[in-house]
Each structure stands twice: as structure tokens, then as C-alpha cells.
């Protein structure tokens, strides 16, 4: 098996071109809501992937709506899903997943990309995950030069709304994942190279609390205060924290009221739940719904619930565990120590697992402080991680190691 690593030679001097490409990509703002920016970036990325001989198909985003501050559901603007494929008739298929969007909107102060003397690249999306898409691109380029490429098919999925939960892209992703055998997602690894193992699942909930408006001086008693009603709702839900291990409920955003002399008739509350098992999520979901149905929020106060469990738990077991073991072996062959740790974060790896696809979801660059203006990636990890991904692909394609079992997702 040691011989497979000889096919990694084309990566030896790839650092400058990978740095340049990531710098170019990260210099284009692609905040999830900045569709024009995402399209501009997608144009470059599509050129790079099709240059490898991949077929390209652009899928429009699914319709996604969100509540605005007036409690009205509005369409959310969103970029599309790009699907690239090689050898569509191959029996064994690998899915490589990345996202084009970042958490930084077009008017965010963090826009500049900067290479620093300590060997890091700072910039929006450098680690999460334009650097990762670059690793994916070079891994495919290198893999395609090997004699094993003909053995397997490759699908690449690049979506544009991962940072807001992949609502517009998960159906396309799940569709492709169902027909595949193993997956790699190129989210960043920790600075020391540690991968994310098991992942918590999550759910998002929005509540519209409606009361009745009135002048606070002249007719206070005719009013029904939606903020006070929301406060009762929040207190009840927050009271669930601590009742069950590994299960958390976070009230994240509240909007309501217009002036201090007006009884507010509307409040919007937004929250997130996390759990380490699907039973944890189901428990939290059930209790939230019970509170909405049976809670006492005051006379004439109505609570409307939107949302639910969104990203299922990703367990470190079965085929996913087998695939991690394969990546660890690949690391051993090229002197990289690969470890993993459970995380409370979620990503598209959760959705792929829910579709039965064993996957390792932190195959991207090493980096830190993602989602902040301190985000950086370690430049030497470009080649290092491309070697790891390529070798893992070679091991699967060569038949030297068994493919992981698909996950049992029948409930
Ligand atoms: Zn990401």
C-alpha cells in the first residue's frame, strides 16, 4: 500500500498555486445572502472544476422562507447548488462536498485577505471553506492522474447556503448522497489537524407571539403585551435546560416593541436546540411543542411556532467509523497523526449521514477562529491535507481497503 503514496508527487510544489487561488476566492465576498458575490465566485470555481474534465450541472436553490421582524414569511435569496461529476456510471461513488458561502455579508468589515509572515493566510472564508475547496480541487486533479481513477465515480457538490443551514440545498445533496458509497466534506480541521468526529444534531425554532396594541397611558388595560407573553414562553423553554444531559436550548434572538408608551402586539423569538442523540432532539422538540400548546402566556396572547429538528445527529459508528479509520491509516502512511474529537457543531456531514452516507467532514485545511474577523488557515496545510485526501481516495479506488458500510438510516 505504501506505493500509493508515490502518486502524490504532483502535489509537492502545489503550495504557491493553492495559496494564490484561495487568496483570489476569499477576496470575493460570498456571504450567504450576497447572491451576486456567490455567483461571481461560482463562475471561477466552475471553470476550475470543469477544467478537470468534470460534467457540471447547476441546480436552482429550493424555496426557503424566513420570518421577518413583522412576523411575515419572506423568501430568502440564495445561490444555487453546483454538481460536478466524473464517470457517472461507475459502481462505486465518492461524494466530495463543500460550500461557497461564508458568514460575512457584503458590508462586513472583514473583507481583506492577508498572507502573514508566520505562515498563515487571514481572510474571510480562507479556512471555512475556500481553502478546503482548493484542497478538494487539487486532490481530484492528483487522483485523476493515477491509474486508479477509472475505478470509481466522483461527485462534487458545492452549495451556497451551508452557513444558514443548507435549507435550499439539502434535498439535492441528499439525492446524490443516496447513490454514493462514501463522502468527504472539506470543512476546516482544528489547528493541530484534529478532525471532528461525532457531531451534535440541531433544530431551529421561530415563534411569533401576538397580543394587542394599546396606548400605554390612555388604554393600558385594553392592551395584551406580546413581550410579556414572549417572556413567559422563553422562561418556560429555558427551564428545560439542565433537565436532560447533552441537550441544550438556546434563546438566541428576540425582536419586539416599537415605543415605551405602546403596549407591544408582536414579538419574534428565535432559538436553537442541540443534542448528542436523536432522542435528545426529540425530547427537546416535544417539550417545546407542549409548552406552545399548553403554556399560559396571558389572556389573548397567541403563539405560533415555525421550524423543528433540522440537522440530525451524526454518530461515530458503523461506516463513518470505518471511514475515519481509513483516513487515519492514510495519515500513518504519510507521517500525519490523525485524531478526532466530538463536537457540538453541525455541518453538511450531518445531512449526508442522515442520507446513509458514511463521511468524514473535516478534510479541509487546518485553521481557527472561523466565523470571526480573526479567521485564518495554516498555509502548509494546503499540500498536507490534499495529500491526505488524495491518498484516502486512492486507497478506496485501488481496492486495497474495503469500502465503508452504508449507514442504516431506517427508523
Ligand atoms: Zn464551513
Amino acid at each position: 500500500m505504501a506505493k500509493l503514496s508515490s502518486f502524490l508527487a504532483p502535489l509537492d510544489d502545489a503550495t504557491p498555486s493553492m495559496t494564490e487561488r484561495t487568496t483570489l476566492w476569499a477576496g470575493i465576498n460570498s456571504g450567504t445572502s450576497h447572491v451576486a458575490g456567490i455567483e461571481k465566485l461560482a463562475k471561477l470555481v466552475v471553470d476550475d472544476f470543469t477544467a478537470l474534465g468534470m460534467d457540471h450541472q447547476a441546480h436552482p436553490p429550493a424555496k426557503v422562507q424566513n420570518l421577518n421582524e413583522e412576523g411575515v414569511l419572506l423568501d430568502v435569496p440564495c445561490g444555487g447548488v453546483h454538481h460536478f461529476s466524473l464517470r457517472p456510471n461507475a459502481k462505486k461513488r465518492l461524494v466530495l462536498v463543500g460550500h461557497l458561502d461564508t458568514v460575512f455579508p457584503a458590508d462586513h468589515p472583514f473583507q481583506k485577505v492577508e498572507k502573514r509572515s508566520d505562515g498563515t493566510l487571514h481572510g474571510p472564508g480562507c479556512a471555512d471553506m475556500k481553502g478546503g475547496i482548493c484542497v478538494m480541487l487539487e486532490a481530484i486533479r492528483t487522483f485523476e492522474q493515477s491509474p486508479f481513477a477509472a475505478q470509481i465515480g466522483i461527485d462534487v457538490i458545492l452549495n451556497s447556503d451551508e452557513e444558514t443551514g443548507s435549507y435550499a440545498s439539502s434535498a439535492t445533496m441528499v439525492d446524490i448522497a443516496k447513490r454514493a458509497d462514501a463522502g468527504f466534506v472539506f470543512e476546516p480541521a482544528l489547528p493541530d489537524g484534529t478532525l471532528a468526529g461525532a457531531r451534535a444534531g440541531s433544530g431551529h425554532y421561530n415563534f411569533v407571539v401576538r397580543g394587542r396594541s394599546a396606548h400605554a397611558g390612555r388604554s393600558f388595560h385594553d392592551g395584551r403585551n406580546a413581550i410579556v407573553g414572549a417572556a413567559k414562553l422563553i422562561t418556560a423553554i429555558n427551564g428545560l435546560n439542565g433537565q436532560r444531559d447533552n441537550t441544550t436550548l438556546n434563546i438566541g434572538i428576540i425582536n419586539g416593541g416599537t415605543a415605551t408608551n405602546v403596549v407591544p402586539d408582536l414579538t419574534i423569538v428565535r432559538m436553537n436546540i442541540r443534542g448528542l442523540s436523536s432522542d435528545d432532539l426529540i425530547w427537546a422538540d416535544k417539550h417545546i411543542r407542549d409548552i406552545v400548546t399548553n403554556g399560559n402566556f396571558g389572556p389573548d396572547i397567541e403563539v405560533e411556532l415555525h421550524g423543528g429538528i433540522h440537522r440530525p445527529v451524526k454518530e461515530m459508528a458503523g461506516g463513518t467509523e470505518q471511514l475515519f479509520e481509513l483516513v487515519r491509516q492514510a495519515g500513518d502512511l504519510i507521517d500525519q497523526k490523525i485524531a478526532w474529537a466530538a463536537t457540538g457543531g453541525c455541518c453538511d456531514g450531518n445531512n449526508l449521514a442522515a442520507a446513509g452516507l458514511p463521511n468524514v467532514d473535516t478534510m479541509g485545511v487546518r485553521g481557527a477562529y472561523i466565523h470571526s474577523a480573526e479567521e485564518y488557515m495554516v498555509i502548509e496545510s494546503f499540500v498536507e491535507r490534499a495529500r491526505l485526501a488524495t491518498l484516502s481516495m486512492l486507497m478506496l479506488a485501488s481496492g486495497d481497503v474495503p469500502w465503508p458500510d452504508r449507514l442504516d438510516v431506517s427508523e
Side-chain angles (χ1 to χ4, degrees), residues 16 51 152 176 207 209 227 284 294 329 347 378:
I152 66 168
I176 295 164
F207 306 90
V209 183
I227 292 180
N294 303 316
Q329 280 177 34
C347 78
V378 179

Side-chain angles (χ1 to χ4, degrees), residues 309-384:
I309 296 171
H310 171 50
R311 276 182 159 151
V313 172
K314 180 180 170 189
E315 284 168 15
M316 179 51 93
T320 292
E321 202 170 15
Q322 294 159 5
L323 192 60
F324 267 92
E325 185 51 33
L326 181 146
V327 172
R328 198 190 58 70
Q329 280 177 34
D332 272 354
L333 293 172
I334 49 176
D335 294 323
Q336 296 182 24
K337 274 266 155 287
I338 303 297
W340 50 87
T343 169
C346 305
C347 78
D348 284 329
N350 293 66
N351 298 48
L352 298 176
L357 188 73
N359 69 89
V360 175
D361 58 30
T362 33
M363 295 298 283
V365 294
R366 290 190 277 126
Y369 301 123
I370 59 169
H371 297 193
S372 86
E374 305 301 316
E375 175 176 359
Y376 74 86
M377 60 148 294
V378 179
I379 291 173
E380 69 178 12
S381 71
F382 272 133
V383 165
E384 177 190 303

